[in-house]
Amino acid sequence: MSHSSPRRLHPRGVRLALGGTVSLFLLALAGCAGGTGGPGQGRYLGLPERASDRAEYIGDLWVGAWVASLAIGVLVWGLMIWAFTAYRRKSKNDVPRQTTYNLPLEIMYTLVPFLIIGVLFYYTLTTQNRVLAADNDQEVTVDVVGQKWSWTFNYIDENGEPVAYDYGTIEQTPTFKLPVDQKVKFNLSSPDVIHSFWVPSFYFKLDVIPGRHNSFELTPTTEGTFAGKCAELCGTYHSAMLFNIEVVSEAEYQAYLDELIERGQSGRAMGGTVGVATPTIPAEEEEGATE
Ligand SMILES: [Cu+2]
């Protein structure tokens, strides 16, 4: 068997693979940089409507990562089909050439994954910095309490004094209101176990950890009602830890606060430790409880 003809294939194979890799990165970069965001669900293949100023960053990272993955997939599938076809067994006695070392290919195997990780790392880090940016210049402050098994919102004024609170119970999913286009700072706390505050349309999720103050800032940009949930398995009724956030006009928001005060919900509720927001369990469970 001749050794000269298979050996000629090496440089060509390497060139092909490198060429493919370069196009892949161009595609990946285009995918990550493209798109300025904006509401509209159909545009994002079933992803939630982008309803906060942070949504664009996370959404573009997500879509960009999929574009890059697809590009890698197309390259790999293409190379596989090419290898199947070009190197298929041509006769019964055809034995593949046995290769030991190929330095250029091995360098490529090492460098390309590092490059891929580098690109992913760069976009992840810049996205994270943008999403977590906290300037403490918020117009609305909400102390959120996640407790077994619902949520409490304490609305705080500019002087740090609690104005009013609203709460849910396991039987009653709460609907909290926030004003549109105003920067909100959420301070998260828990009196019991770890929960996680998640509003998919805000493209933001943060753990609520007892004894630790986690906070984040974002601006709701679209009026409407958006579903929220606990995203950390926290116990038996974790699945009941639902809430809604209704993003409304400034006037409607003020009317909501006045209404809460009128109902006697002024001041602060700490959820699970004080007042009405004490955790509740369904009546039938209470009767049959053995513990
Ligand atoms: Cu929970």
Side-chain angles (χ1 to χ4, degrees):
M1 202 200 292
S2 159
H3 280 253
S4 63
S5 93
R7 205 173 282 148
R8 271 208 322 270
L9 289 168
H10 276 181
R12 205 202 317 158
V14 171
R15 268 203 308 277
L16 197 91
L18 286 177
T21 308
V22 169
S23 354
L24 162 77
F25 279 114
L26 291 177
L27 266 171
L29 292 173
C32 289
T36 51
Q41 192 158 5
R43 219 180 121 188
Y44 302 108
L45 307 166
L47 290 173
E49 183 182 356
R50 298 182 173 190
S52 88
D53 65 334
R54 314 291 155 130
E56 168 188 338
Y57 307 131
I58 293 283
D60 286 353
L61 180 71
W62 175 251
V63 173
W66 275 103
V67 170
S69 305
L70 186 65
I72 291 174
V74 167
L75 175 73
V76 170
W77 297 324
L79 287 173
M80 283 167 70
I81 290 165
W82 168 67
F84 298 159
T85 318
Y87 297 101
R88 69 185 183 281
R89 190 162 76 163
K90 278 151 192 146
S91 75
K92 251 195 154 181
N93 303 321
D94 206 0
V95 175
R97 185 171 48 85
Q98 305 301 304
T99 308
T100 50
Y101 297 103
N102 186 310
L103 194 61
L105 262 183
E106 279 154 27
I107 289 173
M108 190 195 78
Y109 291 157
T110 314
L111 287 184
V112 168
F114 269 106
L115 274 171
I116 293 174
I117 290 167
V119 170
L120 291 175
F121 180 77
Y122 171 78
Y123 282 106
T124 303
L125 201 71
T126 44
T127 302
Q128 188 173 298
N129 289 342
R130 284 170 180 159
V131 166
L132 291 176
D135 307 312
N136 233 15
D137 56 352
Q138 71 274 10
E139 291 151 290
V140 174
T141 305
V142 186
D143 287 0
V144 178
V145 185
Q147 80 269 347
K148 291 196 257 181
W149 312 94
S150 195
W151 300 89
T152 303
F153 265 41
N154 294 284
Y155 294 91
I156 311 297
D157 70 12
E158 316 82 68
N159 308 315
E161 295 299 321
V163 177
Y165 64 86
D166 200 358
Y167 64 97
T169 65
I170 193 167
E171 295 91 359
Q172 180 92 46
T173 300
T175 297
F176 306 115
K177 294 190 186 180
L178 290 174
V180 71
D181 291 330
Q182 292 196 34
K183 196 173 189 183
V184 185
K185 178 169 187 157
F186 298 83
N187 297 310
L188 309 179
S189 67
S190 162
D192 41 53
V193 299
I194 300 176
H195 303 279
S196 186
F197 181 88
W198 186 31
V199 181
S201 289
F202 287 172
Y203 284 61
F204 201 100
K205 174 164 71 179
L206 194 63
D207 279 357
V208 187
I209 300 174
R212 185 180 160 142
H213 291 286
N214 273 354
S215 61
F216 65 96
E217 296 170 12
L218 57 75
T219 307
T221 51
T222 314
E223 287 191 30
T225 303
F226 305 101
K229 57 197 77 184
C230 178
E232 180 70 45
L233 181 57
C234 56
T236 315
Y237 299 107
H238 162 67
S239 62
M241 283 192 68
L242 305 172
F243 62 99
N244 294 307
I245 290 189
E246 197 180 335
V247 179
V248 296
S249 65
E250 165 71 23
E252 232 178 295
Y253 171 68
Q254 287 304 333
Y256 164 70
L257 291 185
D258 292 343
E259 189 197 316
L260 291 178
I261 293 167
E262 244 171 69
R263 266 196 251 152
Q265 290 170 216
S266 54
R268 180 190 288 273
M270 284 314 292
T273 54
V274 172
V276 285
T278 303
T280 57
I281 52 171
E284 68 269 22
E285 289 286 330
E286 220 162 5
E287 283 162 23
T290 50
E291 286 170 289

